[in-house]
Amino acid sequence: MEHALSPATLSELRRPRPYPAVSVLTPTHRREPDNAQDRVRLRNVVAEAKKQLEADPSVTRDRRADVAGQLDRALAEVDLTHAEDGLVIFAAPGEHQVWSLGRPVPERVVLSDTFLTRNLVSAQAAERPFWVLSLSPDRVTLWNGGADRVAEVRTGGFPLVRSRENFDAERMERIGDLPSTYRDEDTRRFLRDADAAMARLLRQDPRPLYVTGEEAALSLLDESGGVAREALHVRHGGLAQGSAEAVWQAVRPLHDAQTRRDTAAVGRELDTARGQRTFAAGVDEVWRSAREGRVRLLAVEENYRVTVRDDGDHLIPAGGGDLDSREDIVDEIVEQCLETGAEVHFVPDGALGDAHGIAGVLRY
């Protein structure tokens, strides 16, 4: 199952497909007893997607069989033992993908000529993704970080590994010779190559960067003047060969502190906007401003959800079973704001006070 949504991946997902491109969304659960229903619910929503394929007269028999087979293959790939808060299946002629999201989604089946991506975009923004680069003299590992975890990724040439005859970094560390290892020109070149590879990746998928390693390794990257010099340094060795949990625990204090600083900065911007009359609050006002491309900064409380119906001029509260109700209007607003170049910040519940879960700073 997929987790990390890079700009290149998002662009590919938004590419038009031969009809029908099927998007299947369903909420999932991380823990018992709620997760007991997930497998049955998933099968049912996939069955509903096949039913809609059967009922669509514009879908040929061959194409219907192709897409139904892609749905079956996607269903077989789902691992609900590691479920998060939402699951999205994309299926089209000749392809399928499964995405696990750390943010709930409404149950839905959509047949179109493009995949429905707004829930992925919103979940990615809520994750506040970051990179972690873990250094050692013979291995550099890259980790994809989110709201509550990291996971090793193999992209951009990572992990970088070099072998040296009779090279034993752990032994050198035990005997106190590790600093001289970092003075070795081959090691310096190896870490400069890692820095250059990281620079290329950041151009493709810019995120905050943490770098872990021994003091000598971090100092060496400072001297090189590359992208790692501007990163947050975590003085913790051994993580290039470590577990995801060990890496997460090492970077979590810095990540949590940065999140608190970001939340405080967003609050100050919103307060300033109130005084300058460039402040919008509530789902209806923010939605209208987002559609007009006026939102410069969007703030959303992490668990804010609302179901609405569009009456033509405004959004009004609606029940989940109402005709034309929109259960993921918040995700739609997030995607729209990102598309028009706004900053999007998810903040703790209650942080927005009387703004009712969502607020924005307007450009004009």
Side-chain angles (χ1 to χ4, degrees):
M1 296 193 295
E2 305 287 344
H3 296 271
L5 184 67
S6 69
T9 301
L10 179 59
S11 178
E12 169 61 20
L13 287 174
R14 286 174 167 168
R15 174 177 58 82
R17 261 76 179 174
Y19 186 86
V22 181
S23 302
V24 177
L25 290 73
T26 185
T28 53
H29 303 84
R30 299 174 187 246
R31 299 177 182 85
E32 297 178 341
D34 294 329
N35 61 7
Q37 63 182 297
D38 289 350
R39 190 164 300 280
V40 173
R41 191 168 187 174
L42 176 58
R43 287 199 186 105
N44 288 343
V45 73
V46 170
E48 173 60 25
K50 291 181 179 179
K51 182 179 177 181
Q52 291 190 28
L53 286 172
E54 288 284 346
D56 192 332
S58 65
V59 181
T60 65
R61 175 184 293 183
D62 288 346
R63 190 158 286 182
R64 183 183 303 122
D66 185 348
V67 176
Q70 297 294 337
L71 287 169
D72 287 337
R73 284 188 278 278
L75 188 59
E77 292 176 10
V78 173
D79 181 7
L80 289 176
T81 60
H82 298 97
E84 297 178 275
D85 301 309
L87 189 75
V88 178
I89 292 175
F90 295 134
E95 64 173 318
H96 67 272
Q97 293 189 34
V98 180
W99 287 83
S100 178
L101 307 183
R103 183 170 169 82
V105 298
E107 187 169 292
R108 174 178 294 173
V109 175
V110 178
L111 275 62
S112 183
D113 58 359
T114 58
F115 292 137
L116 184 68
T117 59
R118 63 173 171 252
N119 306 96
L120 271 69
V121 171
S122 182
Q124 179 80 348
E127 282 274 290
R128 297 185 291 272
F130 57 90
W131 295 117
V132 182
L133 196 65
S134 295
L135 311 177
S136 76
D138 59 339
R139 182 182 178 90
V140 178
T141 307
L142 179 68
W143 309 85
N144 171 52
D148 59 1
R149 67 180 184 278
V150 300
E152 186 179 354
V153 290
R154 295 175 177 269
T155 189
F158 293 102
L160 271 62
V161 180
R162 68 169 182 153
S163 58
R164 286 173 52 187
E165 188 176 354
N166 300 322
F167 181 73
D168 186 345
E170 291 186 0
R171 177 180 177 275
M172 296 174 102
E173 185 173 5
R174 288 196 302 271
I175 65 176
D177 195 36
L178 194 59
S180 65
T181 303
Y182 289 105
R183 288 195 294 269
D184 175 77
E185 185 55 35
D186 288 341
T187 303
R188 289 172 174 266
R189 188 179 302 111
F190 176 64
L191 293 184
R192 284 197 296 268
D193 289 345
D195 185 85
M198 192 69 236
R200 290 191 293 271
L201 183 60
L202 285 171
R203 285 193 293 271
Q204 299 170 7
D205 190 358
R207 305 182 189 180
L209 172 64
Y210 299 85
V211 181
T212 77
E214 298 287 342
E215 178 69 37
L218 299 175
S219 296
L220 179 58
L221 286 195
D222 273 347
E223 294 171 10
S224 71
V227 294
R229 184 176 185 179
E230 305 301 322
L232 289 171
H233 289 186
V234 182
R235 289 170 175 78
H236 192 307
L239 296 178
Q241 295 88 1
S243 67
E245 180 61 21
V247 175
W248 170 239
Q249 293 303 327
V251 302
R252 183 175 183 175
L254 276 75
H255 180 62
D256 288 350
Q258 186 61 49
T259 299
R260 289 191 293 271
R261 288 193 292 270
D262 290 345
T263 299
V266 168
R268 290 192 294 271
E269 289 218 44
L270 292 172
D271 287 342
T272 299
R274 286 178 187 269
Q276 296 177 345
R277 300 181 182 274
T278 55
F279 177 78
V283 67
D284 181 51
E285 186 178 0
V286 172
W287 172 70
R288 285 185 283 118
S289 298
R291 288 199 305 171
E292 296 166 0
R294 298 173 57 206
V295 178
R296 179 178 65 78
L297 180 149
L298 177 71
V300 184
E301 292 183 357
E302 290 170 345
N303 293 299
Y304 177 62
R305 302 284 187 281
V306 62
T307 301
V308 299
R309 183 163 47 83
D310 182 0
D311 72 353
D313 296 315
H314 296 278
L315 299 180
I316 59 177
D322 291 357
L323 291 176
D324 300 326
S325 66
R326 297 159 76 169
E327 297 180 57
D328 57 353
I329 188 65
V330 173
D331 290 357
E332 186 176 329
I333 292 170
V334 168
E335 183 180 51
Q336 179 65 40
C337 288
L338 288 169
E339 286 293 296
T340 54
E343 296 178 42
V344 174
H345 297 270
F346 282 79
V347 299
D349 293 345
L352 299 181
D354 60 0
H356 306 293
I358 188 167
V361 178
L362 305 182
R363 293 187 169 100
Y364 57 91

